[in-house]
Amino acid sequence: RLMRNFFGLSEKYIKSIYEQFFHMKYHAGWGLYELYHLPIGLRTYYIQMLIDNKEREKEAYEQANRR
């Protein structure tokens, strides 16, 4: 494991970015090239939209199963 103790991104931050990439690729079909070149603000917006959409889907699923 490469330990960074100077300038650069922390391992925790890099892991969070890769997790975002995974979810956007897996759930929304984005390509890695698109994700790497997407501005951070837009990526954050799309991630939040994906989270909100999945929460609405979960609520709808739970309501349908209560009937």
Side-chain angles (χ1 to χ4, degrees):
R1 181 182 263 204
L2 177 63
M3 296 300 291
R4 296 183 182 143
N5 55 7
F6 57 97
F7 303 102
L9 305 175
S10 70
E11 288 185 33
K12 183 178 179 180
Y13 180 77
I14 292 171
K15 183 180 180 199
S16 72
I17 297 302
Y18 288 158
E19 288 175 358
Q20 288 180 8
F21 284 7
F22 169 78
H23 290 294
M24 289 182 74
K25 184 164 180 51
Y26 185 80
H27 296 290
W30 286 73
L32 286 176
Y33 180 84
E34 296 168 311
L35 293 169
Y36 270 110
H37 293 90
L38 192 64
I40 294 171
L42 278 176
R43 187 179 69 229
T44 303
Y45 173 78
Y46 286 126
I47 283 288
Q48 190 59 53
M49 293 297 292
L50 180 63
I51 291 168
D52 294 345
N53 188 47
K54 288 296 179 183
E55 287 174 353
R56 285 192 300 271
E57 286 178 3
K58 180 182 175 187
E59 290 172 5
Y61 177 78
E62 289 172 350
Q63 286 180 355
N65 283 336
R66 285 187 207 140
R67 295 177 188 186

